[in-house]
Amino acid sequence: MTSPRQNTQQEMSAEIQAIASTYRQSLAAGAAPLTQPSLDYAPYRSSILRHPTKNLHHTDPETIELASPAFGHQDVSPLEADLTIVHNGEPQGERIKVAGRVLDGDGRPVAGQLVEIWQANAAGRYIHKRDQHPAPIDPNFTGVGRCITGADGSYAFTTIKPGAYPWKNHINAWRPAHIHFSLFGSEFTQRIITQMYFPGDQLFPLDPIYQSIVDQDARDRLVATYNHELTSPEWSLGYNWDIVLTGPKRTWTETEALGEDGEHHG
Amino acid sequence: MANTMDKLTPTPGQTVGPFFGYALPFEKDNELAAPGRPGSIRLQGTVTDGAGAPIPDAILEIWQPNADGNIVAETGSLVRDGYTFTGWGRASTGNTGRYTFTTVNPGATRPGAAPFIAVVLFARGLTNRLFTRIYLPEDTAALAADPLLASLPEERRSTLLASREPDGGLRWDLRLQGDGETVFLEFDGARHAPAQGA
Ligand SMILES: [Fe+2]
């Protein structure tokens, strides 16, 4: 059960490090690396009553699960990819461009699919009504963006670098700066929501959400790369971040069968 | 020699967090079919945690065939025109942990298949998305022959079955943990046949 008092960061870090140490031992003993977060990760306190206790049930995806909802340019305006032009004035903070590609597990581009993002403002404050952080709201920044990937799987957003923010997981808990990303693939099985981080953040080792991914290589996949080529003179800093979805799960046989029926939704 | 089985490692998921409520919901996000149109039904239920408490900050998405069992490829989910069925919708739980969709009964995608709705769940406190299915309760022969349901013990199988309400709607509750814990799925898929001697 939850402890009668909140833990200190020191206690929290000890918990995080104990789990990390157990994981390193399992790797050393030959276990396969874990590429996804642990659903049961007690340092993230809200997960304690919100993780399934039974193993995920292995099954072959079928029909609808091998297709994906379709989104198009009637769903999303190209203007929604620029989070800095939503209001009449310029938002406060460091203007950035975040760009990359959405790929499937075979390295093929995921074209024409929806990407949604949301984030705190430069001071670490969300517009959300339940955000109690006493940092200023920026009247010129909402922090919500959308786009449709290009034929090469590319996406690009112009926004403001979000600030770190406190939360109540433990005493003096702070989230490293991040942008929430929501992604669709060409199959429903590829649906994912995740968070993109910025390189070199000193809060990484202290954050139970980031550390819920116990594998260092896997965690690194959420960290964008600074790219000076993407930086615009006198205007904005550039970050690259590519996203790889799971799968595809569809077999050749199924692809051929769907093709014959004229119901191929790749 | 190039290893044909090489593939990229997927990017990890992360929790949707507490502050998606101003970003992910959109107008008519949960109305796959306009309420009151012929054939439209309500699909509703409650999302609860391991203590049986409702989860007020969860978000569900459903993806389903149309009433004829066809998988549609229609755009327009984010800006609904009121008559095009896109097959996809999104619903946030409120303070009571309750979600609601307006949709149609999914048809069987092939003769004898058990009709179901694909579901993905996100929530604060949930470190990664969870997939599951909602089966229609009526076609007992198809349900008995369904490969996924057949692979589950009886007490777990029932967590994937909706119940039919007197008004024709569907009721399906999701329990994240504990008694009656919903079955969540990990998809295998045969992928491509392994290259011989690779
Ligand atoms: Fe956040």
Side-chain angles (χ1 to χ4, degrees):
Chain A
M1 296 304 295
T2 41
S3 49
R5 62 167 185 86
Q6 278 203 303
N7 292 103
T8 62
Q9 180 68 56
Q10 194 176 11
E11 290 165 332
M12 177 55 59
S13 294
E15 262 187 65
I16 289 170
Q17 283 156 25
I19 294 168
S21 160
T22 305
Y23 175 68
R24 278 194 302 273
Q25 286 163 24
S26 77
L27 277 186
L34 298 174
T35 59
Q36 293 289 329
S38 304
L39 292 167
D40 179 6
Y41 192 75
Y44 178 21
R45 296 296 188 230
S46 308
S47 78
I48 293 174
L49 288 172
R50 294 186 175 193
H51 70 271
T53 54
K54 299 192 161 53
N55 290 333
L56 300 182
H57 189 80
H58 284 263
T59 195
D60 291 329
E62 289 182 63
T63 57
I64 189 81
E65 290 157 341
L66 293 168
S68 184
F71 299 95
H73 293 288
Q74 83 203 68
D75 290 296
V76 179
S77 155
L79 298 176
E80 293 182 63
D82 190 339
L83 288 73
T84 68
I85 57 168
V86 178
H87 302 274
N88 288 328
E90 288 279 347
Q92 299 285 330
E94 203 177 295
R95 192 184 295 108
I96 60 172
K97 187 169 184 180
V98 178
R101 297 173 75 204
V102 185
L103 305 169
D104 73 13
D106 290 338
R108 294 180 303 194
V110 175
Q113 262 302 359
L114 176 66
V115 180
E116 298 165 283
I117 66 168
W118 71 102
Q119 62 166 92
N121 69 20
R125 178 81 187 255
Y126 284 89
I127 289 295
H128 197 281
K129 61 184 185 298
R130 283 179 50 215
D131 186 355
Q132 302 293 309
H133 180 31
I137 283 173
D138 183 342
N140 290 319
F141 191 74
T142 304
V144 178
R146 289 169 174 168
C147 75
I148 301 287
T149 56
D152 57 352
S154 61
Y155 73 87
F157 291 102
T158 300
T159 183
I160 295 295
K161 190 175 182 189
Y165 61 83
W167 61 311
K168 297 190 176 354
N169 187 69
H170 54 276
I171 297 165
N172 212 12
W174 288 78
R175 294 297 328 281
H178 60 274
I179 299 176
H180 296 267
F181 270 73
S182 163
L183 303 137
F184 290 77
S186 54
E187 299 176 10
F188 188 68
T189 60
Q190 295 173 308
R191 181 83 179 92
I192 191 172
I193 287 180
T194 188
Q195 302 180 22
M196 186 209 88
Y197 298 87
F198 293 86
D201 199 313
Q202 300 304 302
L203 295 168
F204 285 157
L206 310 180
D207 176 36
I209 290 181
Y210 183 66
Q211 297 291 332
S212 69
I213 303 159
V214 295
D215 188 88
Q216 181 67 56
D217 292 339
R219 284 197 295 270
D220 288 347
R221 295 188 186 104
L222 295 183
V223 183
T225 308
Y226 173 71
N227 181 357
H228 204 63
E229 298 295 306
L230 193 62
T231 291
S232 302
E234 326 293 327
W235 189 247
S236 66
L237 294 167
Y239 290 90
N240 270 121
W241 187 52
D242 291 342
I243 301 126
V244 179
L245 306 180
T246 58
K249 306 289 189 194
R250 193 185 289 144
T251 62
W252 285 124
T253 317
E254 278 159 327
T255 305
E256 286 155 13
L258 287 166
E260 277 161 20
D261 290 340
E263 289 179 350
H264 180 233
H265 298 284
Chain B
M1 193 173 90
N3 183 350
T4 55
M5 294 305 285
D6 267 351
K7 52 176 184 172
L8 303 176
T9 306
T11 305
Q14 289 263 266
T15 182
V16 71
F19 298 136
F20 58 83
Y22 75 102
L24 293 178
F26 56 93
E27 196 184 341
K28 298 183 181 172
D29 56 0
N30 62 344
E31 294 184 11
L32 290 78
R37 278 178 69 92
S40 81
I41 59 162
R42 193 161 62 163
L43 162 64
Q44 60 181 331
T46 303
V47 181
T48 48
D49 70 11
I55 296 182
D57 38 21
I59 187 159
L60 287 86
E61 292 174 0
I62 62 171
W63 168 231
Q64 63 166 88
N66 68 14
D68 299 324
N70 293 319
I71 298 168
V72 301
E74 298 282 353
T75 62
S77 292
L78 300 183
V79 188
R80 298 200 193 273
D81 63 15
Y83 62 90
T84 304
F85 182 77
T86 65
W88 178 82
R90 178 180 275 171
S92 310
T93 58
N95 287 335
T96 55
R98 207 169 174 79
Y99 73 88
T100 306
F101 290 98
T102 315
T103 186
V104 299
N105 285 307
T109 49
R110 60 176 184 278
F116 70 85
I117 296 169
V119 181
V120 62
L121 170 76
F122 308 93
R124 179 179 69 83
L126 180 60
T127 61
N128 208 354
R129 82 273 177 272
L130 291 172
F131 294 105
T132 185
R133 293 181 185 174
I134 306 172
Y135 284 88
L136 302 193
E138 282 86 12
D139 190 343
T140 48
L143 291 170
D146 183 83
L148 166 61
L149 295 177
S151 68
L152 291 166
E154 177 57 35
E155 74 277 10
R156 300 219 70 209
R157 190 180 306 149
S158 59
T159 69
L160 301 186
L161 301 186
S163 57
R164 188 67 70 180
E165 305 209 279
D167 67 355
L170 291 168
R171 166 96 194 191
W172 181 78
D173 294 330
L174 189 151
R175 295 176 189 84
L176 209 36
Q177 187 186 88
D179 280 348
E181 184 176 305
T182 302
V183 171
F184 298 105
L185 304 175
E186 177 144 64
F187 294 111
D188 297 326
R191 303 196 73 256
H192 307 167
Q196 291 296 319

